[in-house]
Amino acid sequence: MAIYINEPAHTFNEYLLIPGYTPTSCVPDKVSLKTPLVKFKKGEEPEISLNIPMVSAIMQAVSGEEMAIELAKNGGISFIYGSQTAEDEAAMIAKVKAKKAGFVFSDSNLSPENTLADILALKAKTGHSTVAITEDGTSNGKLVGIVSSRDYRVSRMNPNEKIANFMTPLAKLITAKYGITLSEANDIIWENKLNSLPVVHEDGKLHAFVFRKDYDSHKENPNELLDDQKRFIVGAGINSRDYAERVPKLVDAGADVLCIDSSEGYSEWQKITIEWIRKHYGDKVKVGAGNVVDREGFLFLAKAGADFIKVGIGGGSICITRETKGIGRGQATALIEVCQARDEYYEETGIYVPVCSDGGIVYDHHITLALAMGADFVMLGRYFARFDESPTPKRTINGSIVKEYWGEGSNRARNWARYDLGVGEQKLHFEEGVDSYVPYAGPLKENVDKTIAKIKATMCNCGAITIPELQDKAKLTLVSATSIVEGGAHDVIRKEKDGSDR
């Protein structure tokens, strides 16, 4: 006989936090949002932690290399979408890892025989204004000079002018020898007021560059999420079909953590995938799994060896899994039950498996509610799809600027593999996601800073300066439909931002 749960499943919008005592020592500037990304043993530190509890979803319309770089700058992590070839996904990972390494391997290289037109074409392609000029035009050829924007004037020069005639030659460059530390390189940059410092081998071949802007960037972004080589940390989505071919390529490209992307994770296919990764890489390769919505699903994936577990089925703004297949659960109810199971599992085993709340976030305060309910971090799709850094173009629809946003289970994504129930040609030929638009919101940093400010302020209202303290002290209350209406502006005539009446 079927099991009946005769209690309604609730969403975030049906809960509010009750303020707790706030001491004078609890102010937003003292709040830490550091949180574990992967599992760890009691008494030990996790190998990877986030500086903000926000990660971007494994979606074509959300997580490309630009999003990954900008989110890592701000303390979170992106999971590059897996609904592309393994080679293309690995290339995206490699670009993210190469962007911020302290020592940056040059991807803008020409020879002295190339022309100004070649410089302009390369700049248009890469966006980089510094071009390494080597004897053979390769990234590791013998350095003979560099070209920066100050070396030419397009309006006054012939596009066929050879680079040899206007580059800054090696004799006029300050360079550093291979083996120099990043700190020493930055000292040279500051002492000589340089924008870039080429690092060369004993034989004169180019090794890398150190850029002043990277040093400035770190000062401007103290929450940057970096690996031990000063590179941005980045994740990658995988599926339970081609993992044997895809995972090695992603690992070789430098992916810091993987995540199995599926609408429903309480599946032997995910267990088999995790076991394959453990067999070939041990615990060195981190892999999250999901999605689940109850205690049993969490315990299954935790025992299978998942490094973190995603919670949520059908709660995303573009997800139609619930109406298509009739499975899912209210996000708040699912999260509360899974986090209770996580805590019990930790007490029994001494292993803490972080929980990611995936879906159902409509307002910024829903993130704080998710954290209070036990989530270690949240995965967001619609939220990040609105920003400049998402991969989709801006459009104007009915006078409003929007960005395109579609689900991974939509016909547009054509990502049937993530929902496959088996191998071979047995597939689900129906959609679990829609194609849509979201209002354009501007740059990521500006919006994330506002969201983080709200989270920190609310935590202080609860007397907490860390996420574990919030989870320990939080008091949550269910609210009625009438109370939800009361919580917004009501019984007034609101003014528009320009001062006119609505």
Side-chain angles (χ1 to χ4, degrees):
M1 180 178 176
I3 296 174
Y4 292 89
I5 301 175
N6 292 314
E7 297 176 0
H10 298 287
T11 66
F12 293 131
N13 219 36
E14 296 174 81
Y15 281 92
L16 286 174
L17 281 158
I18 297 174
Y21 169 68
T22 305
T24 57
S25 60
C26 189
V27 293
D29 284 348
K30 293 185 179 180
V31 171
S32 169
L33 294 179
K34 189 170 184 177
T35 190
L37 176 66
V38 296
K39 68 183 179 184
F40 59 94
K41 293 181 180 179
K42 194 170 187 177
E44 297 181 358
E45 291 293 321
E47 289 187 37
I48 307 175
S49 292
L50 301 166
N51 290 327
I52 62 170
M54 302 165 69
V55 305
S56 67
I58 312 169
M59 303 176 74
Q60 293 176 8
V62 179
S63 295
E65 61 261 38
E66 189 175 351
M67 176 65 69
I69 290 166
E70 191 62 24
L71 185 51
K73 281 184 181 179
N74 286 273
I77 186 173
S78 288
F79 285 87
I80 301 294
Y81 63 90
S83 51
Q84 58 181 320
T85 66
E87 291 77 12
D88 287 345
E89 186 179 8
M92 283 190 172
I93 296 293
K95 287 180 181 178
V96 176
K97 301 305 285 188
K99 182 70 178 182
K100 171 74 168 141
F103 295 97
V104 179
F105 300 113
S106 179
D107 64 356
S108 294
N109 313 284
L110 292 171
S111 79
E113 295 302 307
N114 287 108
T115 65
L116 174 60
D118 296 323
I119 289 284
L120 298 178
L122 186 60
K123 183 178 179 180
K125 179 182 178 181
T126 66
H128 300 157
S129 58
T130 299
V131 178
I133 309 304
T134 59
E135 285 185 344
D136 59 3
T138 65
S139 61
N140 58 0
K142 189 172 183 180
L143 185 69
V144 295
I146 64 170
V147 172
S148 65
S149 55
R150 66 185 179 184
D151 289 316
Y152 58 87
R153 291 292 181 270
V154 176
S155 61
R156 298 182 181 180
M157 294 175 61
N158 187 325
N160 294 319
E161 183 80 16
K162 287 189 176 183
I163 289 173
N165 297 331
F166 63 86
M167 70 180 184
T168 300
L170 181 63
K172 293 184 179 181
L173 293 177
I174 295 175
T175 62
K177 291 184 178 180
Y178 175 71
I180 191 173
T181 67
L182 185 59
S183 177
E184 291 169 340
N186 282 321
D187 287 342
I188 294 174
I189 285 173
W190 281 97
E191 289 169 3
N192 295 278
K193 299 180 180 180
L194 304 175
N195 289 321
S196 64
L197 177 69
V199 179
V200 296
H201 293 278
E202 288 290 342
D203 59 5
K205 290 185 177 180
L206 178 65
H207 171 67
F209 279 91
V210 178
F211 291 98
R212 182 191 187 104
K213 62 182 176 62
D214 286 340
Y215 178 86
D216 293 339
S217 174
H218 183 62
K219 292 296 183 183
E220 293 169 5
N221 300 286
N223 276 333
E224 276 186 332
L225 202 62
L226 306 175
D227 64 17
D228 56 6
Q229 298 180 53
K230 305 294 184 182
R231 303 176 301 177
F232 289 125
I233 288 180
V234 61
I238 62 172
N239 60 63
S240 56
R241 284 175 56 86
D242 69 356
Y243 52 85
E245 294 78 33
R246 185 173 296 265
V247 170
K249 291 180 172 65
L250 299 178
V251 172
D252 289 345
D256 297 279
V257 59
L258 309 175
C259 184
I260 304 172
D261 182 28
S262 173
S263 65
E264 202 284 301
Y266 191 1
S267 156
E268 187 173 1
W269 301 114
Q270 294 216 2
K271 182 174 182 286
I272 292 170
T273 303
I274 296 170
E275 288 175 342
W276 185 92
I277 292 172
R278 295 290 174 252
K279 177 182 178 181
H280 290 82
Y281 295 97
D283 292 328
K284 292 181 179 179
V285 171
K286 307 302 179 185
V287 56
N291 288 22
V292 299
V293 293
D294 61 5
R295 172 188 175 84
E296 289 77 12
F298 170 84
L299 291 175
F300 174 79
L301 291 177
K303 292 174 182 177
D307 286 292
F308 68 85
I309 294 172
K310 292 199 297 169
V311 177
I313 295 177
S317 59
I318 42 71
C319 185
I320 55 172
T321 296
R322 294 180 191 177
E323 63 183 78
T324 300
K325 295 170 67 177
I327 64 170
R329 199 176 194 186
Q331 187 67 10
T333 299
L335 182 61
I336 290 169
E337 180 174 317
V338 168
C339 289
Q340 288 174 344
R342 183 267 321 277
D343 293 343
E344 292 169 5
Y345 185 78
Y346 179 54
E347 288 299 317
E348 293 172 4
T349 66
I351 300 173
Y352 187 92
V353 183
V355 167
C356 169
S357 181
D358 177 19
I361 301 291
V362 180
Y363 305 108
D364 285 351
H365 76 269
H366 288 172
I367 299 176
T368 318
L369 287 170
L371 297 174
M373 291 172 182
D376 296 281
F377 56 95
V378 298
M379 179 172 278
L380 304 161
R382 181 193 60 85
Y383 176 92
F384 287 114
R386 304 172 301 147
F387 302 153
D388 287 324
E389 294 80 6
S390 72
T392 63
K394 289 185 288 186
R395 297 184 180 276
T396 300
I397 305 293
N398 297 325
S400 298
I401 302 176
V402 298
K403 297 201 80 177
E404 292 180 295
Y405 179 47
W406 60 92
E408 286 299 281
S410 68
N411 185 55
R412 179 171 181 172
R414 299 188 180 278
N415 191 19
W416 306 114
R418 77 193 286 263
Y419 301 108
D420 202 327
L421 295 180
V423 296
E425 297 303 316
Q426 184 182 358
K427 298 179 180 180
L428 294 177
H429 293 286
F430 53 82
E431 293 182 280
E432 291 187 49
V434 301
D435 204 337
S436 67
Y437 298 106
V438 290
Y440 168 66
L444 179 146
K445 181 174 176 56
E446 177 182 309
N447 286 276
V448 167
D449 283 349
K450 289 179 182 177
T451 298
I452 293 303
K454 294 176 186 178
I455 294 171
K456 289 183 174 182
T458 303
M459 287 175 62
C460 287
N461 291 148
C462 297
I465 60 172
T466 66
I467 292 173
E469 191 175 10
L470 173 66
Q471 293 166 349
D472 183 58
K473 292 184 175 181
K475 290 193 294 183
L476 295 116
T477 181
L478 276 167
V479 295
S480 66
T482 304
S483 181
I484 293 173
V485 173
E486 179 187 64
H490 59 89
D491 301 314
V492 295
I493 299 173
R494 295 186 65 177
K495 293 181 178 180
E496 296 286 5
K497 290 183 179 179
D498 60 4
S500 62
D501 294 336
R502 177 174 293 180

